[in-house]
Amino acid sequence: MNEEKPYFQTPILYNAHRGISSRYPENTLVSFQAAADAGADVIETDARLTKDGVIVLHHDDSLLSTAGEERFVTKSTLGELSDLDFGYSFSADGGKTHPFRGKGIKILTLEEALVSFPASKFNIDLKDS
């Protein structure tokens, strides 16, 4: 154990990749809440910078796989991204159903995640484009 780095004092047994992204839209509040409720030791996520300089949690620069939009995080403002449905593209059954469409799932900022889950540890993959 390293007393100088308390983050590493507890072994990581359960690393939740983008939250519980197999059952919930990745990198969203609902996915992170499910991970926290399941006892995840660490929530892995991806961070990107919006056009107006806000850090948001999103894996791809393209919004197609999450919000069904052919545009990019880095070319959008937080306001523009906040208008999109980040549950739109999620399907756990190969596209037969989309249970999170229209449920109000929004893009998550890094600040919102850290405030919402103060007891959680995060592994943040910084993306540059």
Side-chain angles (χ1 to χ4, degrees):
M1 299 281 173
N2 187 338
E3 291 183 31
E4 294 177 25
K5 297 181 181 176
Y7 184 88
F8 297 106
Q9 287 184 350
T10 306
I12 297 171
L13 302 175
Y14 176 20
N15 182 26
H17 188 246
R18 302 180 198 159
I20 299 185
S21 58
S22 62
R23 293 189 295 176
Y24 301 92
E26 65 183 45
N27 290 321
T28 62
L29 191 63
V30 293
S31 188
F32 290 176
Q33 186 64 61
D37 292 346
D41 297 306
V42 173
I43 298 173
E44 183 278 337
T45 189
D46 310 277
R48 293 187 174 277
L49 201 59
T50 64
K51 182 179 174 181
D52 54 342
V54 179
I55 301 170
V56 294
L57 304 182
H58 198 268
H59 181 267
D60 301 333
D61 189 27
S62 168
L63 299 169
L64 196 57
S65 68
T66 54
E69 294 278 331
E70 291 193 34
R71 58 176 129 162
F72 300 93
V73 172
T74 55
K75 296 183 185 216
S76 303
T77 66
L78 179 60
E80 292 166 339
L81 295 172
S82 295
D83 290 338
L84 301 177
D85 180 355
F86 281 82
Y88 183 84
S89 297
F90 178 83
S91 178
D93 58 12
K96 293 176 186 169
T97 63
H98 296 87
F100 292 97
R101 277 188 185 172
K103 301 291 184 188
I105 296 176
K106 301 295 180 188
I107 197 161
L108 194 58
T109 67
L110 177 58
E111 180 180 7
E112 289 169 333
L114 296 175
V115 168
S116 296
F117 303 98
S120 294
K121 294 177 183 172
F122 284 85
N123 174 11
I124 303 170
D125 185 3
L126 305 175
K127 304 291 187 177
D128 66 354
S129 63

